[in-house]
Amino acid sequence: MPLRSRLEGWLTPPKPYILNPREHAVNAPLGRWNLYIGGARQRVPGYVNLDIFAMPGVDVQADAHALPFPDGLFTRVECDAVLEHVQNPGRVVQEIERVLAPGGWAHLVTPFCHPFHEYPKDYRRFTPDGLRELAGGLEVIDTGWRTGPAATMLVFTLEFVKLLLPWRWWRALAHGVLGWLLWPLRYLDVWLLRMPRAERLGNHCYLWARKP
Ligand SMILES: C[S@@+](CC[C@H](N)C(=O)[O-])C[C@H]1O[C@@H](n2cnc3c(N)ncnc32)[C@H](O)[C@@H]1O
């Protein structure tokens, strides 16, 4: 690996969040065919990776509003941090339901308290109740918070400080310095995610649903 990439790797602070282990308490095994929606620039072994952009890692370039697959093909569909970027999330979930096989699993993840981020647009935010409303004919098995109030506080603090800085390299420096100083606070979520009140400032929420 080139020295520059190695240096960048060492200087990049740890992520400002921890993941709620409860999210993966559901047993939703992969099948022969599984679909990952929105995985540009990622490797997603075991899945067909579909994205609206033809980028490294993408197997199928298509719009999630009209999935180019027959009914009932997939055992599992992952849709992680995508529904906020589509014009009609209800339509996308209908498509997920259509391409799932009976008994197949859908896993949706969406932001709630999270900064504006365009991929290529950013239309909205969600709550677990909002995800339940979208599920349509799917049977909801579990909903909850993936990342909690400490993640929200850290992500917004970093964004707020960067907002005040006029130059890109200052922003990169602030991100590195503050990221390294503040990251241990992410562990507050071990405690906060157990509180029902965590939802007031939750960062990302999830839903697991099954096609009857
Ligand atoms: C925030 S990224 C999520 C990346 C990844 N799932 C993750 O959690 O790190 C959103 C992805 O959804 C893709 N996307 C946005 N609109 C889409 C659409 N209508 N159909 C398919 N993919 C879309 C974007 O190109 C982008 O790769």
Side-chain angles (χ1 to χ4, degrees):
M1 193 192 287
L3 185 63
R4 193 196 152 117
S5 322
R6 245 187 287 172
L7 265 177
E8 274 171 11
W10 290 330
L11 295 176
T12 303
K15 302 253 184 268
Y17 56 79
I18 53 161
L19 302 176
N20 186 351
R22 206 197 118 174
E23 179 181 356
H24 289 284
V26 166
N27 179 24
L30 297 185
R32 178 155 187 225
W33 293 103
N34 310 287
L35 176 65
Y36 190 98
I37 301 177
R41 291 205 196 89
Q42 284 181 47
R43 285 197 63 247
V44 281
Y47 292 86
V48 175
N49 186 359
L50 174 142
D51 201 284
I52 198 152
F53 296 119
M55 283 192 180
V58 173
D59 302 308
V60 177
Q61 179 192 8
D63 186 339
H65 292 94
L67 294 172
F69 305 108
D71 297 359
L73 177 63
F74 295 107
T75 304
R76 185 156 146 186
V77 178
E78 287 287 321
C79 186
D80 185 335
V82 176
L83 291 176
E84 71 272 27
H85 302 294
V86 302
Q87 278 170 308
N88 187 341
R91 173 78 199 142
V92 171
V93 177
Q94 277 172 5
E95 278 293 272
I96 292 174
E97 183 179 344
R98 181 184 67 75
V99 299
L100 270 177
W105 291 87
H107 182 213
L108 313 179
V109 181
T110 49
F112 174 48
C113 297
H114 200 67
F116 181 71
H117 58 291
E118 292 169 294
Y119 282 92
K121 296 276 184 193
D122 188 350
Y123 294 103
R124 57 184 68 77
R125 295 292 176 263
F126 298 81
T127 61
D129 286 343
L131 287 180
R132 278 177 186 276
E133 281 296 304
L134 278 181
L138 296 170
E139 182 194 356
V140 175
I141 305 297
D142 190 25
T143 61
W145 294 96
R146 167 182 279 188
T147 44
T152 297
M153 189 255 311
L154 288 172
V155 166
F156 277 100
T157 302
L158 291 171
E159 283 302 314
F160 184 77
V161 171
K162 287 194 280 180
L163 194 64
L164 303 174
L165 300 174
W167 293 295
R168 199 189 161 102
W169 72 269
W170 278 27
R171 293 196 288 273
L173 187 68
H175 187 91
V177 172
L178 276 180
W180 275 108
L181 283 174
L182 298 179
W183 72 271
L185 293 175
R186 70 187 186 175
Y187 293 107
L188 285 171
D189 274 341
V190 172
W191 165 58
L192 292 169
L193 278 167
R194 294 194 190 132
M195 293 181 182
R197 281 182 297 134
E199 67 187 10
R200 303 185 77 87
L201 282 176
N203 175 244
H204 278 75
C205 52
Y206 66 84
L207 173 138
W208 284 101
R210 204 158 190 207
K211 183 161 169 176

